[in-house]
């Protein structure tokens, strides 16, 4: 019986352990939006948990957009996406000085091509880990 209880306890601890890395994690956005979805919020809470367990790392949050719209518009939208991502992590207890944001707008597409599937992939905020 003890062995079973220990196994269940170990499973429970593994379930709340969080991710084993967050570099290149992405949260995605709807077209023309910087609103954080429930799914994105869940991913960001996992990233925050990782950062709490690894206080020696900082992150850069990169805001990306699809190829539609002007350069100026997409730089502003990318900044909003990265900023909103940072706000979620800060609200979850991560110190603001551990987070930097940058917008690449549509200037650095992560996925080549055109069309809705590719555009949806390029509408994101990407987390880059920076070791202190």
């Amino acid at each position: 019986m003890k062995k079973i209880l220990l196994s269940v306890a170990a499973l429970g601890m593994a379930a709340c352990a969080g991710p084993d890395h967050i570099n290149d994690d992405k949260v995605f956005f709807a077209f023309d939006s910087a609103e954080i979805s429930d799914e994105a919020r869940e991913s960001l809470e996992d990233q925050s948990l990782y950062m709490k367990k690894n206080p020696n790392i900082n992150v850069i949050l990169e805001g990306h957009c699809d190829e539609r719209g002007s350069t100026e518009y997409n730089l502003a939208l990318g900044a909003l996406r990265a900023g909103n991502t940072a706000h979620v992590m800060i609200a979850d207890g991560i110190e603001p000085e551990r987070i930097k944001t940058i917008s690449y707008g549509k200037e650095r597409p992560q996925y080549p091509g055109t069309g809705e599937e590719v555009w949806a992939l390029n509408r994101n905020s990407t987390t880059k880990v920076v070791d202190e």
Side-chain angles (χ1 to χ4, degrees):
M1 183 66 153
K2 269 188 179 177
K3 188 174 184 179
I4 292 171
L5 290 176
L6 288 174
S7 295
V8 170
L11 285 174
M13 288 174 54
C16 67
D20 60 356
H21 71 85
I22 60 172
N23 195 51
D24 286 327
D25 278 8
K26 294 173 178 30
V27 294
F28 296 93
F29 296 88
F31 174 70
D32 197 28
S33 175
E35 184 177 332
I36 302 290
S37 68
D38 290 341
E39 184 178 342
R41 187 172 306 281
E42 200 172 295
S43 174
L44 292 170
E45 288 170 356
D46 284 345
Q47 291 182 45
S48 294
L49 177 61
Y50 179 86
M51 290 184 72
K52 288 174 187 175
K53 290 181 177 183
N54 296 276
N56 61 320
I57 65 154
N58 298 324
V59 295
I60 298 173
L61 302 174
E62 300 176 347
H64 295 274
C65 299
D66 64 40
E67 65 187 1
R68 298 171 290 177
S70 70
T71 297
E72 295 80 13
Y73 176 83
N74 281 309
L75 284 171
L77 182 57
L80 279 173
R81 288 174 174 168
N84 288 351
T85 301
H87 286 301
V88 170
M89 296 174 86
I90 292 165
D92 201 31
I94 303 304
E95 301 85 355
E97 56 273 8
R98 294 180 61 197
I99 302 170
K100 297 209 180 330
T101 62
I102 188 167
S103 175
Y104 290 119
K106 66 179 187 176
E107 303 307 304
R108 282 189 171 179
Q110 295 176 314
Y111 301 91
T114 192
E116 187 52 46
E117 287 181 22
V118 173
W119 293 335
L121 291 172
N122 280 317
R123 294 191 301 260
N124 71 70
S125 176
T126 301
T127 301
K128 296 290 187 177
V129 171
V130 180
D131 291 321
E132 231 179 4

